[in-house]
Amino acid sequence: MPSEPHPQPPARSTTSWSLHRRLAVGLVLCIGGTFAAIFPMLDRLIDHAIYHQMDFTLSQRATAVGRMLQDSAHQHPEALMPEYEPGGHMEFFTVFDQASGAALLRSPSSAGAVLPAEPAAEGTPRYYDVTLPDGHAGRAIALRLPMPGSPDRLLVVATEREEWDRTERRVHLALLAGIALATLLATGSALLVVQRVIVVLRRTGAAAARLNADQPMQPLGGDLPRELKPFADAFNLGLRHLYAAVERERQFSRDVAHELRTPLAEIRLSAESALGSNDAAQARRSLAASVSATQRMQRSVDTLLLLARLDSGQHTPAPDPIDLSSLVRELLAALASLQARRTLAVQPDLPPSAWVQGDLGIIERIISNLLRNALEYAPEGDAIGCRLERSDAGWLLSIANAAPELQESDLEHLGHRFWRKQSEGGTAHHAGLGLALAFSLARAIDLPLRFSLQNGRLTARLGPWTPLV
């Protein structure tokens, strides 16, 4: 029975969104909403300013009319005020008897009509909107008018307000136009700035697309704005890590290919020799040579893997109290057979104890490689110096051996993988990885390792370590 197909996961939405559109809509809503919120307040302030100016003008005109009416020498004061002539339709006034409310005097421009009156408290003029005798909208002021030798009067002075209304409408239209223009300018300016940034980002993206691990890394984002510099720095840091990882992989591949070529050839040669020989002893020797080459391959691969972990930061040191004197003595004892086989004399100069703190496994590997390097490369019969001394900076270990073939220019190559003074290739013991491993391990725990050459003797100095006691 055929099995039912597994349900496919829902496809992820690939709908893209536009930064320009979102920014434009956001700015329009934000700026427009802000102005819409403050427009009523601005409208009220504008109206207040216009009415204040209109009322001030009315107050001045009412004062002038009042003074003219209070002058008893003029029986017809309206004749001295041409703006109130019958042909005028802008200015009006009416005088009422305050007690009875009867109209006593009308401006000629009123054509017999009476302005609406509102009582005004003493010393407090009252401003209000009215419909003028000609049917237009107007603004009026009512105030008490003291008259010498007669009861007080109520004076109402009005003026047409259409011009003021037109001014108010023009201000409102100008305000709305200014709001719209400010919104458009702000949105357009923001979109232009974003467009410039997008152009730079596209150029940076194109440069990132052209990156090739076979070419040197070129930092990106040099022309990005200051706000995007942290992103560019983080991106470049990630690129450096990526390039470093690629280089470590390539280095590891080159190292493996370089190191395994010789032992693989030895294994094949030994296997072919064993297969083609009828001599059991010869076959055994060939198989023993194959096992030896296999062991060498195993040591090389283990060393290369440890170097790769160190270079990538995957190995974390674990500090422990260490007695360097005891550790060096143990390592020298472990290498006694190599010392005896090559008839070398080791002259240790070690204190009773030298306590420091560090990763025991790493330090043991470093010192072992340095001692083994000195014992394997020193001429037979040489005297190997091994001294541990304390200075103001701490404990310092120095290992010296004769190196007649080395020159001062060779020191810079010490620690390079598979570097050998002689170009004939490695042997079962001399793979060219010991010092490279020692340098990598020393860097992993921030322990200085230096080599010097003087009078034909090579000296390796390791340390200083900070003493514990």
Side-chain angles (χ1 to χ4, degrees), residues 8-88:
Q8 297 295 327
R12 295 184 59 185
S13 174
T14 58
T15 303
S16 60
W17 56 275
S18 171
L19 178 62
H20 286 87
R21 186 180 297 109
R22 289 194 178 185
L23 181 61
V25 173
L27 285 174
V28 170
L29 292 178
C30 181
I31 299 175
T34 301
F35 280 121
I38 66 175
F39 183 81
M41 181 181 64
L42 294 176
D43 180 63
R44 179 173 296 182
L45 291 175
I46 292 171
D47 289 347
H48 176 76
I50 290 177
Y51 272 91
H52 177 76
Q53 184 62 36
M54 189 189 308
D55 293 344
F56 177 73
T57 303
L58 271 175
S59 176
Q60 288 184 324
R61 290 176 179 174
T63 301
V65 172
R67 288 177 181 175
M68 191 68 67
L69 293 174
Q70 288 172 343
D71 190 352
S72 59
H74 300 284
Q75 298 299 322
H76 300 284
E78 65 275 12
L80 301 177
M81 296 179 284
E83 64 269 24
Y84 296 100
E85 290 293 329

